[in-house]
Structures are given as C-alpha cells and as structure tokens.
Amino acid sequence: MSGERIRVVIYLRAPEGEAEQLEKTYREISWVRGEGAGTAIAGLVRSELLRDVDRPGEYLLHSEWETLEDYRTWQFGPDHKDNPSALRPYQDRSRGRHYAVYGITSED
C-alpha cells in the first residue's frame, strides 16, 4: 500500500438545524481549498463533502491522497496536529472511530 493512492473518509453528523453551518464550515477550511500555509498540501489530490440523500444530517468528508505517506505526513504534522479542525464538533463518533483510511484494490 505504500506507493498507491488512498482515500480517507471522515464521518460527520449535523445536529438538527445545523446542516448549512456544517457545509459552510467545510467550505471555509483552508486545506480543503489547498491554501495551507499559502500552498496546496503535498499529496492531497482532492476533497469533497458528501451528504447522505436518505439521512440529510449525515455526511462524509472524502479526500484522495497520492500516497499513504503523504496523508500520514499531513495527519501527524504540525499543520494538522496543532490546528484542530473546525469540523471536529461534527465528527460522528457514534460508530466508534470517526474516520477510515482505504487503499484502492481495484480500479477501472
């Protein structure tokens, strides 16, 4: 898995009446827009916020990274560790771990 693209999923949940605020917060996060420290984050290909069409208060923050190493470097680096995400209040911890990291096993 070390040299392949990965996907990271963060599970989010908006309390009643806060869906618009969650979406606005996502759009304001600098790493989402590739503006971390004035430059794009190394290895981040893209990110997107997905809303569950059957359960509108539930979301996934999906990001694609060039490699697991790129993601881990950012995840454990000072730009992330020292700056808690504005989305932290929305993390859905009801399922245990609020995120998952996936390697691509097959792609057409």
Side-chain angles (χ1 to χ4, degrees):
M1 179 182 282
S2 65
E4 64 184 297
R5 281 195 180 184
I6 61 149
R7 306 291 200 285
V8 177
V9 174
I10 300 173
Y11 304 101
L12 304 169
R13 181 183 304 269
E16 185 73 32
E18 292 188 38
E20 285 184 33
Q21 183 59 45
L22 184 153
E23 293 175 20
K24 179 179 183 249
T25 300
Y26 168 79
R27 289 189 299 272
E28 292 174 348
I29 295 173
S30 62
W31 71 264
V32 166
R33 297 188 317 264
E35 297 173 1
T39 61
I41 294 174
L44 178 63
V45 176
R46 67 187 180 118
S47 69
E48 57 193 354
L49 184 65
L50 308 172
R51 181 176 38 87
D52 187 319
V53 297
D54 294 319
R55 291 172 271 182
E58 295 185 22
Y59 291 82
L60 293 177
L61 191 166
H62 168 263
S63 59
E64 180 178 352
W65 294 80
E66 288 288 343
T67 66
L68 179 60
E69 289 77 17
D70 289 332
Y71 171 69
R72 295 290 190 218
T73 296
W74 173 79
Q75 179 186 27
F76 297 117
D79 290 339
H80 179 65
K81 296 283 288 179
D82 296 340
N83 297 301
S85 172
L87 288 172
R88 184 170 299 218
Y90 300 106
Q91 292 172 352
D92 184 0
R93 295 176 183 266
S94 67
R95 58 181 78 231
R97 195 167 81 159
H98 68 282
Y99 73 97
V101 179
Y102 295 92
I104 301 167
T105 60
S106 180
E107 198 169 33
D108 290 335

